[in-house]
């Protein structure tokens, strides 16, 4: 390995300084640019999907909320569609300010890869999508199957783990784009498509004959999906983190985009603090004092963005399940605004 | 008589062209090194600031993912370093096969392009102009998503004599399994190769000396096939074929050529062959027509003329641009990432980079490897070029 090492060291010298020093803080740069650079998926209905030149989805709404928090205007965003393989490097190198692209929170991404997950927008788990014709009822019957999977994902690793623990033979085909996986499943190049369950439902809608495919009951992993920022800028990290918490708290307190103005008259001190009527909790973030109210008004609370994009108000019709509020049997829980 | 010229006035040292030259070189060197160090240091500092791991330790940690095609034993418990070798071998495999096939096809098409038969030369022209002018990536997609997707499902495989099966998952071939005693056959083959080379040399010397020809081709062929086959029979046929068998979802056993590799290879071959064909045509046309006429008037047949007079001279023109095409083909093989063939760019600079987050190291290694492969190909081709180059006396 030694000659190679020397060689590569030399090559590194030739590389331009990747991620050249960022001048000032992320927030300063964003304010100077006048927009937030947000990395989203390259096409996943419900999460981020471009339709008629407009991005829609729960991941997109998280970015919109951050823009509303910073600028008071949810449209001040530049979206960058990224494949699973590109996304983390794009964030590390400063090409985007925040990555909101159904990305799983893991220890190595938090540590070795120099990233910070700001919370969980969607509690997910990995599943399998198969053609009904195969007559498969359980993932345990997949011995010897050819599986399509997206390159550079946690899914790819879980897949290998699952087949290894169950002593099954695996033939994986890894594509950069989820569309290619879906096309391959339809053509029969692979027997199974594996991904986070939410994505499987989204992918299924895009198939020519969605009814011919089923999602197997097994969920083989924990996939907490959430927005990500770079290590090393705590102020920016706090803003993105609390934008999500604000939306969850708003749902818990019954504040939504329609009633936010009325709620400002509420006597509940929690609501008053959230909406910036009482105290200066908003200012502590270096933003306008009422930024939380603006986020709720312009984008909505967590329940609203969930239902609108992936829940009952969308073609996906996904149940709240794990993503219900903590006091309704789910896992969504936000620290208090205080 | 000896009149001393006035002693030349020694110019100040900064006006001495020799010293100046050295000085400027030294300054340039120092600036370059300083710039390099600055970039290196800057990168290191930024990586530390962002809390991103650096270094090459990750190469020994387990990868945790599977790869569809591997020429060496590999599993999800192997290391990232192992992934590198698997990916490198996959790149080399598709490049080497592509170079051989593209050369064969290119020479045939190039010569066909010059054929006196109107239909053949027009067909060659249409082939060249079509495939040369369609982007390579598009051709890869064409083969992968259009042509090879039309293959039947595993259960409806096209079956050739219960040995070879073709379906959407690939072409399944019987794999040879060597039993004890096969070493003798290999040894016999080695011996015959040496024998053939010696025989060919002797035949050439004899022809130079006496002008008498020796039927070297047929005798060499007989030797090369005969002796190993005889040993094979004597050793008790130490070879069995493992036939692929349909089990559950897929065929198991035997060798499989996956469609990802097939479409990449097809596209690379067909695309590069068009350029090689034009290079071959140019090379042949560069040989003066007088040579052909002289050769024909000496009584050589036209095929002998092509083989003994034209091609050796044409090769001198052909080799340097041909080297370029080989380099292009190797580098173009990195388009594999688009269709999921696990080559160096897809599996190493893609998946490994993403799972470890060590972009600089992975890209640096990948760049170094492509540089090395390209330089090696150039070296080999330059060596061959020197051998066939015109020796001026």
């Amino acid at each position: 390995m030694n000659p190679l090492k020397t060689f590569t060291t030399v090559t590194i010298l030739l590389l331009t300084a990747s991620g050249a020093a960022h001048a000032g803080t992320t927030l300063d740069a964003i304010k100077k640019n006048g927009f937030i650079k947000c990395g989203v998926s390259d096409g996943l209905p419900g999460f981020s999907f471009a339709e008629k030149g407009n991005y829609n989805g729960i991941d997109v709404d998280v970015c919109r909320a951050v823009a509303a928090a910073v600028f008071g205007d949810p449209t001040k965003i530049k979206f960058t569609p990224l494949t699973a393989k590109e996304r983390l490097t794009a964030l590390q190198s400063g090409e985007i300010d925040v990555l909101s692209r159904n990305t799983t929170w893991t220890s190595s991404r938090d540590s070795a890869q120099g990233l910070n997950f700001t919370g969980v927008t969607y509690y997910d788990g990995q599943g399998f999508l198969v053609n009904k014709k195969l007559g498969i009822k359980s993932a345990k019957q997949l011995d010897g199957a050819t599986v399509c999977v997206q390159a550079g994902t946690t899914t790819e690793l879980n897949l290998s783990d699952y087949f290894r623990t169950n002593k099954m033979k695996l033939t994986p085909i890894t594509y950069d784009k989820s569309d290619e996986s879906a096309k391959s499943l339809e053509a029969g190049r692979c027997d199974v498509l594996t991904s986070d369950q939410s994505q499987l439902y989204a992918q299924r809608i895009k198939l020519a004959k969605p009814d011919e495919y089923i999602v197997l009951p097994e969920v083989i992993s924990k996939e907490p999906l959430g927005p990500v920022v770079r290590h090393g800028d705590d102020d920016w990290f706090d803003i993105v983190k609390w934008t999500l918490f604000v939306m969850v708290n708003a749902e818990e307190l019954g504040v939504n985009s329609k009633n936010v103005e009325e709620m400002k008259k509420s006597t509940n001190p929690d609501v008053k603090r959230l909406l910036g009527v009482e105290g200066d909790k908003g200012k502590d973030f270096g933003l306008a004092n009422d930024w939380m109210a603006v986020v709720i008004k312009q984008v909505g609370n967590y329940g609203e963005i969930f239902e609108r994009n992936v829940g009952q108000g969308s073609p996906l019709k996904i149940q709240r399940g794990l993503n219900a509020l903590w006091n309704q049997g789910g896992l969504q829980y936000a620290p208090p605004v205080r | 008589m000896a009149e001393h010229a006035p002693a030349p006035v020694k110019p100040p040292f900064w006006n001495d062209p020799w010293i100046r030259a050295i000085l400027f070189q030294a300054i340039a060197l120092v600036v370059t090194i300083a710039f390099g160090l600055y970039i290196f240091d800057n990168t290191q500092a930024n990586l530390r600031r962002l809390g991103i791991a650096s270094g090459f330790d990750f190469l020994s940690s387990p990868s945790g993912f599977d790869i569809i095609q591997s020429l060496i034993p590999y599993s999800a418990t192997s290391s990232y370093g192992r992934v590198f070798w698997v990916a490198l071998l996959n790149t080399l495999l598709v490049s080497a096969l592509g170079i051989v096939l593209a050369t064969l096809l290119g020479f045939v098409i190039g010569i066909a392009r010059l054929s006196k038969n109107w239909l053949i030369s027009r067909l060659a022209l249409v082939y060249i102009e079509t495939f040369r002018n369609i982007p390579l990536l598009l051709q890869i997609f064409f083969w992968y998503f259009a042509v090879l997707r039309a293959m039947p499902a595993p259960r409806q495989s096209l079956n050739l004599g219960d040995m070879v099966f073709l379906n959407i998952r690939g072409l399944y071939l019987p794999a040879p399994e060597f039993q004890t005693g096969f070493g003798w056959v290999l040894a016999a083959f080695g011996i015959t190769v040496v024998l053939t080379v010696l025989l060919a040399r002797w035949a050439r010397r004899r022809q130079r000396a006496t002008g008498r020809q020796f039927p070297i081709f047929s005798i060499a062929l007989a030797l090369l096939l005969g002796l190993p086959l005889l040993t094979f029979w004597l050793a008790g046929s130490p070879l069995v074929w493992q036939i692929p068998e349909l089990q559950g979802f897929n065929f198991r056993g035997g060798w499989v050529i996956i469609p990802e590799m097939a479409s990449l290879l097809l596209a690379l071959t067909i695309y590069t062959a068009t350029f090689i064909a034009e290079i071959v045509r140019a090379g042949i046309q560069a040989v003066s027509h007088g040579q052909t006429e002289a050769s024909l008037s000496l009584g050589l047949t036209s095929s002998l003329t092509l083989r003994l007079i034209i091609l050796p001279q044409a090769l001198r023109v052909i080799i340097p641009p041909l080297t370029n095409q080989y380099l292009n083909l190797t580098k173009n093989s990195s388009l594999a990432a688009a269709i999921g063939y696990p080559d160096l760019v897809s599996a190493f600079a893609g998946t490994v980079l993403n799972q470890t987050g060590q972009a600089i190291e992975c890209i640096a290694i990948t760049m170094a490897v492509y540089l090395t492969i390209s330089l090696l190909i150039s070296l080999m081709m330059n060596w061959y070029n020197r051998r066939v180059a015109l020796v001026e006396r």
Side-chain angles (χ1 to χ4, degrees):
Chain A
M1 217 54 204
N2 233 348
L4 188 61
K5 258 191 189 174
T6 4
F7 206 153
T8 44
T9 325
V10 174
T11 321
I12 291 174
L13 295 178
L14 299 174
L15 292 170
T16 48
S18 76
H22 306 287
T25 66
T26 312
L27 186 58
D28 289 342
I30 287 171
K31 281 187 171 158
K32 212 175 111 213
N33 287 338
F35 57 83
I36 292 172
K37 290 175 283 181
C38 173
V40 292
S41 162
D42 52 344
L44 182 63
F47 287 79
S48 65
F49 194 62
E51 241 171 349
K52 296 171 196 140
N54 247 334
Y55 278 95
N56 288 311
I58 193 166
D59 284 343
V60 169
D61 279 348
V62 169
C63 279
R64 292 231 163 88
V66 178
V70 174
F71 295 110
D73 180 353
T75 61
K76 294 207 165 162
I77 307 185
K78 202 185 112 202
F79 287 110
T80 309
L82 297 165
T83 66
K85 243 163 86 171
E86 298 158 349
R87 57 185 167 176
L88 301 180
T89 323
L91 182 61
Q92 286 172 337
S93 65
E95 220 175 291
I96 52 176
D97 302 314
V98 53
L99 175 72
S100 181
R101 190 207 175 281
N102 50 290
T103 303
T104 306
W105 189 345
T106 68
S107 66
S108 71
R109 285 173 178 169
D110 247 5
S111 56
Q113 305 215 29
L115 305 172
N116 270 341
F117 281 78
T118 64
V120 179
T121 42
Y122 191 101
Y123 288 96
D124 212 337
Q126 184 174 345
F128 297 98
L129 181 68
V130 297
N131 195 316
K132 275 184 191 163
K133 270 187 287 183
L134 289 177
I136 300 257
K137 294 280 174 287
S138 153
K140 296 262 163 64
Q141 294 170 281
L142 290 176
D143 188 18
T146 307
V147 184
C148 282
V149 60
Q150 228 182 325
T153 54
T154 48
T155 328
E156 205 181 347
L157 305 176
N158 298 331
L159 175 70
S160 285
D161 281 355
Y162 185 75
F163 272 68
R164 210 167 53 203
T165 13
N166 289 296
K167 301 202 170 48
M168 302 193 290
K169 189 183 177 306
L170 166 70
T171 311
I173 309 177
T174 49
Y175 294 105
D176 283 357
K177 295 195 175 139
S178 51
D179 279 356
E180 284 167 358
S181 302
K183 260 190 271 173
S184 292
L185 178 70
E186 277 188 308
R189 173 68 186 95
C190 45
D191 303 299
V192 194
L193 192 159
T194 187
S195 191
D196 297 345
Q197 279 209 325
S198 62
Q199 290 194 41
L200 294 182
Y201 288 110
Q203 288 290 357
R204 193 167 67 166
I205 300 184
K206 290 206 283 185
L207 298 177
K209 291 174 189 156
D211 298 338
E212 288 188 3
Y213 296 85
I214 51 163
V215 175
L216 295 180
E218 279 91 348
V219 175
I220 66 166
S221 69
K222 292 192 286 187
E223 309 283 339
L225 311 178
V228 202
V229 295
R230 276 182 299 277
H231 254 194
D233 188 339
D234 287 350
D235 294 335
W236 177 238
F237 174 54
D238 287 342
I239 292 173
V240 178
K241 179 167 61 180
W242 276 90
T243 306
L244 183 59
F245 286 158
V246 162
M247 291 195 285
V248 175
N249 274 325
E251 188 188 3
E252 193 182 329
L253 295 169
V255 185
N256 60 39
S257 57
K258 312 235 164 37
N259 69 6
V260 61
E261 291 303 329
E262 278 167 53
M263 291 300 271
K264 279 184 179 168
K265 295 178 204 116
S266 163
T267 51
N268 183 341
D270 282 336
V271 175
K272 280 183 163 176
R273 274 194 298 274
L274 180 73
L275 300 181
V277 181
E278 200 178 275
D280 46 9
K281 299 292 167 226
K283 274 193 195 134
D284 298 346
F285 288 90
L287 301 172
N289 199 36
D290 68 338
W291 70 267
M292 300 183 184
V294 173
V295 166
I296 300 164
K297 186 169 183 188
Q298 298 186 339
V299 182
N301 67 28
Y302 180 77
E304 282 178 279
I305 66 169
F306 188 98
E307 296 300 348
R308 176 164 78 217
N309 293 304
V310 296
Q312 300 311 312
S314 76
L316 291 171
K317 305 246 183 293
I318 298 175
Q319 300 291 324
R320 283 294 286 269
L322 290 177
N323 294 294
L325 290 181
W326 61 282
N327 52 12
Q328 289 165 22
L331 294 174
Q332 288 294 352
Y333 181 101
V337 177
R338 177 168 287 281
Chain B
M1 180 78 195
E3 195 179 325
H4 284 287
V9 185
K10 212 174 176 218
F13 75 92
W14 61 83
N15 269 350
D16 183 334
W18 175 243
I19 291 180
R20 269 193 174 196
I22 288 180
L23 193 69
F24 284 132
Q25 295 283 343
I27 291 174
L29 188 69
V30 168
V31 168
T32 313
I33 289 176
F35 181 67
L37 282 178
Y38 165 73
I39 287 184
F40 183 73
D41 190 58
N42 190 31
T43 310
Q44 290 272 321
N46 273 314
L47 287 178
R48 252 198 313 279
R49 189 176 55 77
L50 292 170
I52 298 173
S54 60
F56 291 89
D57 295 342
F58 72 97
L59 286 173
S60 53
S61 35
S63 67
F65 58 89
D66 287 276
I67 298 180
I68 187 169
Q69 177 185 305
S70 168
L71 299 179
I72 48 176
Y74 172 85
S75 77
T77 46
S78 306
S79 67
Y80 285 123
R82 190 82 175 173
V83 177
F84 168 77
W85 291 111
V86 170
L88 175 61
L89 285 174
N90 282 342
T91 288
L92 290 178
L93 175 73
V94 80
S95 307
L97 287 176
I99 285 177
V100 171
L101 293 177
T103 310
L104 290 177
L105 186 62
F107 269 76
V108 169
I109 301 286
I111 292 171
R113 178 84 177 78
L114 293 169
S115 165
K116 288 195 193 75
N117 183 322
W118 185 86
L119 189 62
I120 290 180
S121 76
R122 286 304 114 159
L123 278 178
L125 176 74
V126 168
Y127 165 84
I128 290 171
E129 293 305 332
T130 313
F131 287 102
R132 188 170 63 162
N133 292 309
I134 297 174
L136 180 57
L137 186 60
L138 211 60
Q139 294 194 34
I140 294 176
F141 282 153
F142 170 73
W143 291 110
Y144 188 61
F145 287 115
V147 177
L148 295 181
R149 279 290 152 87
M151 295 294 159
R155 278 159 225 265
Q156 286 87 41
S157 296
L158 299 175
N159 180 341
L160 302 174
D162 277 335
M163 303 269 278
V164 177
F165 303 89
L166 181 66
N167 61 43
I168 192 165
R169 306 280 164 82
L171 179 64
Y172 290 79
L173 304 166
E177 260 180 16
F178 305 114
Q179 314 288 317
T180 45
F182 195 77
W184 291 109
V185 182
L186 287 182
F189 185 71
I191 292 171
T192 43
V193 167
V194 174
L195 270 179
T196 315
V197 170
L198 291 177
L199 193 68
R201 277 198 186 162
W202 169 81
R204 208 178 314 134
R205 263 207 311 278
R206 195 182 74 145
Q207 192 182 350
R208 290 240 171 99
T210 66
R212 274 187 296 160
Q213 285 188 336
F214 185 76
I216 181 71
F217 183 75
S218 39
I219 287 188
L221 195 69
L223 257 181
L224 279 175
L225 285 180
L227 199 56
L229 276 181
L230 189 69
T231 337
F232 183 73
W233 180 68
L234 284 177
S237 309
L239 177 74
V240 289
W241 294 92
Q242 189 193 30
I243 313 271
E245 226 181 316
L246 185 62
Q247 272 178 16
F249 294 99
N250 288 314
F251 279 88
R252 295 201 188 175
W255 276 341
V256 57
I257 299 174
I258 54 172
E260 286 75 25
M261 165 149 156
S263 40
L264 183 65
L265 189 57
L266 269 169
L268 283 175
T269 304
I270 289 175
Y271 179 74
T272 314
T274 60
F275 293 93
I276 295 182
E278 287 295 86
I279 291 169
V280 169
R281 178 172 74 101
I284 291 176
Q285 283 182 333
V287 178
S288 140
H289 192 58
Q291 299 274 335
T292 317
E293 285 171 351
S295 158
L296 289 177
S297 22
L298 282 173
L300 292 178
T301 62
S302 52
S303 75
L304 273 181
T305 307
L306 184 69
R307 199 155 64 82
L308 295 177
I309 308 295
I310 300 179
L311 273 186
Q313 299 187 70
L315 275 183
R316 290 173 192 145
V317 182
I318 291 173
I319 299 294
L322 191 64
T323 313
N324 261 341
Q325 293 308 323
Y326 288 176
L327 297 181
N328 281 347
L329 188 144
T330 311
K331 287 178 283 185
N332 284 342
S333 73
S334 61
L335 288 172
I339 52 165
Y341 175 75
D343 81 323
L344 197 60
V345 169
S346 166
F348 189 72
T351 306
V352 171
L353 185 159
N354 210 270
Q355 300 296 6
T356 62
Q358 300 201 267
I360 296 187
E361 290 85 351
C362 287
I363 295 294
I365 292 178
T366 310
M367 282 164 64
V369 165
Y370 275 102
L371 185 67
T372 313
I373 297 177
S374 293
L375 289 178
L376 281 179
I377 293 179
S378 297
L379 271 178
M380 279 192 299
M381 294 301 280
N382 285 346
W383 168 80
Y384 185 66
N385 191 31
R386 266 200 304 281
R387 262 186 52 132
V388 299
L390 194 64
V391 185
E392 302 209 4
R393 277 183 261 255

